[in-house]
Amino acid sequence: MTQKINQLWNAIEKAGSMNAYIDSQLREHGFLVKRRDTDNMSKRELDRYKKELKAEAAEKRRLKKVAWQAYKANHIVHLGDGVYWNDHDNFDRWDLNNAEERAAENELPTLDKPQQLAQALGITIPQLRWLAFHRDAATELHYRRFTIPKKDGSDRAIWAPKTLLKRAQYWINDNITRQLVVHGAAHGFIAGRSILSNAEVHTNAKIVLKMDLKNFFPTITLKRVKGLFRKAGYREQIATLLALLVTEAPREVVEDQNKTYFVSMGPRCLPQGAPTSPMITNALCLKLDRRLTGLAEKFGWRYTRYADDLTFSLPDGKDKEPNLGKLMHVIKQIVKDEGFIIHPEKTRITRKGGRQKVTGLVVNGKETPRVPQKTKRELRAAIHNLKNGKPLREGETLAHLEGLAAFICMTEPALGHKMLAQLKDITNAL
């Protein structure tokens, strides 16, 4: 079926247009009726003439239908509520003048047409349209929703892409987003960097200042993501499709007349749960990281970012302590300029005399960042209880304990591996 449709579209392209193809088919198969004056026709001639016109009209409708099917199989046509699309646009005034050169500099795959993107993703044009299509009230989504508890006890909604979309997003991640420039201050979701590399920057600090970006992923909307892909070197059509493939609107589930609707509650943004979201945030925060790094250096501080966590530290030994209020004011202004908001309830300042933690690791002194003693004590106690046949505490699982042991492995490999081995022995004995 697909081969026949493609052959049909090739024939339409060869004819020059759908109308030209339809006219040629009508003529070739004897359906095209020469128009004549009916004033002097006999009743029999008029009836025959009308039948011929009717047959021509019926065949023309049939040809239009199959031609339109062939067109839709090879063109995006429409992408849903509020999304601009034009199949014939090959240049837009917001595109970079040297877009192809920029894409080549970033070592991005050549994607000039939707057909090339579909082929790269291993899907058809109709499938690409289906994955990218936006509806304000959808009856089906390409994501599964579940929640995980936050530290404050509330639930965090996670939107995990289903198989076909997830495969497309992994391709985008591997071939496009990983190629984009990321600042050295970013440590999250980057090969060779981690919570440990993030924390190592801030050891032996006189003061540690931690600030969080509020509603980080929801703040990064379709418009901003599309702009990122354009800046990377893709033109209007490809940038639009890529942005739609990696964003989704925040939604509420509504039941109406025994039917479930997923109703859009705001603009499309990066979903928490999509594999593409972390790397896109890193690329979009390039200017933010540059400005905050420059500010930190000006004040004699150090700066890193792990996802939405911003960390500043003043190295120990500085004689004069800067004006913290002024520093925080400028940080907030830069963050606002770059389209983000500082979470007012998550700013923390810790001094040398107290316990200083960065991305979960203690950074006091000149030692390597380490897991808090409390965490290690709790894990030792849990392992001891399991060995003696006692149950785990409420909310604890073996998987959680193994995660803590792996966490310890990062900074204390010998201890961490020992605990992992003990947990493995316990699991095998169950």
Side-chain angles (χ1 to χ4, degrees):
M1 184 65 178
T2 303
Q3 186 177 1
K4 285 184 178 180
I5 289 176
N6 288 337
Q7 288 173 347
L8 174 57
W9 181 247
N10 289 336
I12 291 171
E13 284 191 316
K14 190 175 180 180
S17 69
M18 284 198 287
N19 286 336
Y21 170 79
I22 290 168
D23 287 345
S24 68
Q25 290 296 300
L26 291 172
R27 187 178 299 106
E28 184 178 333
H29 294 93
F31 284 97
L32 194 63
V33 180
K34 184 179 179 181
R35 271 45 178 177
R36 307 191 298 275
D37 187 359
T38 59
D39 291 345
N40 298 320
M41 284 185 183
S42 66
K43 186 176 182 304
R44 180 179 294 177
E45 289 174 325
L46 185 58
D47 287 344
R48 186 168 60 247
Y49 183 58
K50 286 181 178 179
K51 285 181 180 178
E52 290 172 349
L53 290 175
K54 191 174 181 180
E56 179 194 279
E59 179 64 8
K60 191 171 186 177
R61 284 195 299 273
R62 187 191 73 79
L63 288 169
K64 277 187 175 180
K65 184 178 179 180
V66 297
W68 177 242
Q69 289 174 340
Y71 184 89
K72 285 182 69 176
N74 289 273
H75 296 79
I76 296 297
V77 183
H78 181 50
L79 285 171
D81 304 333
V83 180
Y84 169 77
W85 182 265
N86 187 334
D87 279 324
H88 303 293
D89 270 355
N90 54 17
F91 183 80
D92 184 88
R93 67 188 181 120
W94 300 113
D95 289 339
L96 295 176
N97 291 328
N98 58 341
E100 289 76 15
E101 292 178 18
R102 178 70 63 84
E105 287 173 4
N106 288 325
E107 298 183 356
L108 301 182
T110 301
L111 299 172
D112 298 322
K113 297 180 180 179
Q115 289 84 351
Q116 290 174 301
L117 177 58
Q119 186 176 10
L121 296 176
I123 58 178
T124 64
I125 286 289
Q127 286 176 315
L128 177 58
R129 179 171 56 245
W130 179 57
L131 290 176
F133 205 89
H134 174 78
R135 286 186 176 88
D136 287 332
T139 56
E140 183 182 0
L141 289 182
H142 297 293
Y143 291 84
R144 295 185 182 90
R145 183 184 184 276
F146 61 92
T147 60
I148 58 174
K150 293 183 181 180
K151 289 181 181 178
D152 61 9
S154 61
D155 288 333
R156 185 190 304 278
I158 303 296
W159 294 86
K162 295 179 182 177
T163 303
L164 189 61
L165 180 59
K166 184 190 288 185
R167 198 159 60 223
Q169 289 179 344
Y170 272 123
W171 185 92
I172 293 170
N173 227 20
D174 293 340
N175 295 277
I176 298 176
T177 57
R178 289 189 191 280
Q179 303 297 108
L180 302 180
V181 178
V182 173
H183 196 274
H187 286 261
F189 319 104
I190 301 172
R193 302 184 198 176
S194 63
I195 59 172
L196 177 58
S197 67
N198 183 64
E200 283 175 334
V201 175
H202 303 285
T203 58
N204 196 33
K206 188 174 185 179
I207 306 172
V208 173
L209 167 63
K210 296 194 295 182
M211 307 175 89
D212 275 23
L213 300 178
K214 188 177 181 181
N215 297 326
F216 188 43
F217 284 172
T219 306
I220 301 175
T221 59
L222 172 74
K223 184 178 179 181
R224 296 179 73 173
V225 177
K226 182 177 174 180
L228 173 70
F229 287 126
R230 274 188 154 170
K231 190 175 180 181
Y234 288 123
R235 297 195 182 276
E236 164 70 23
Q237 289 183 328
I238 298 300
T240 298
L241 288 167
L242 290 172
L244 287 166
L245 288 171
V246 300
T247 59
E248 180 53 90
R251 295 181 183 269
E252 289 290 339
V253 181
V254 177
E255 301 287 341
D256 183 45
Q257 298 181 356
N258 297 321
K259 199 168 185 179
T260 301
Y261 292 91
F262 300 92
V263 180
S264 170
M265 304 301 291
R268 291 178 74 101
C269 57
L270 293 181
Q272 189 147 352
T276 40
S277 295
M279 286 303 299
I280 289 173
T281 60
N282 280 336
L284 270 166
C285 286
L286 176 62
K287 188 177 177 184
L288 172 71
D289 291 336
R290 279 176 177 165
R291 293 183 68 184
L292 290 179
T293 297
L295 174 69
E297 289 175 352
K298 180 180 177 181
F299 279 80
W301 287 55
R302 302 167 295 194
Y303 162 73
T304 61
R305 180 181 57 80
Y306 192 97
D308 56 350
D309 295 336
L310 313 180
T311 305
F312 299 82
S313 66
L314 179 66
D316 195 17
K318 293 284 182 178
D319 295 332
K320 188 176 180 182
E321 198 171 293
N323 187 325
L324 259 180
K326 182 179 179 181
L327 175 65
M328 291 167 65
H329 173 76
V330 180
I331 291 170
K332 289 176 183 177
Q333 189 58 54
I334 290 174
V335 167
K336 183 180 178 182
D337 288 347
E338 296 304 322
F340 298 100
I341 303 169
I342 292 291
H343 199 304
E345 299 174 4
K346 291 191 175 182
T347 295
R348 298 286 184 271
I349 299 169
T350 52
R351 298 179 181 274
K352 186 178 177 181
R355 189 176 67 170
Q356 298 169 326
K357 283 175 63 179
V358 175
T359 45
L361 299 173
V362 177
V363 296
N364 292 77
K366 297 179 181 180
E367 302 172 50
T368 302
R370 53 223 173 264
V371 175
Q373 289 295 335
K374 181 183 177 183
T375 302
K376 288 184 277 191
R377 282 196 302 269
E378 289 176 351
L379 183 54
R380 285 192 184 100
I383 292 172
H384 176 77
N385 289 337
L386 285 170
K387 284 181 176 179
N388 289 280
K390 295 180 181 179
L392 292 171
R393 294 185 304 177
E394 186 178 350
E396 276 188 339
T397 64
L398 276 170
H400 173 66
L401 297 180
E402 287 171 355
L404 289 178
F407 182 41
I408 294 170
C409 278
M410 292 181 61
T411 59
E412 298 178 64
L415 177 60
H417 285 300
K418 179 182 176 182
M419 290 177 163
L420 279 172
Q422 290 173 328
L423 287 169
K424 186 177 180 181
D425 290 340
I426 292 168
T427 303
N428 293 335
L430 293 177

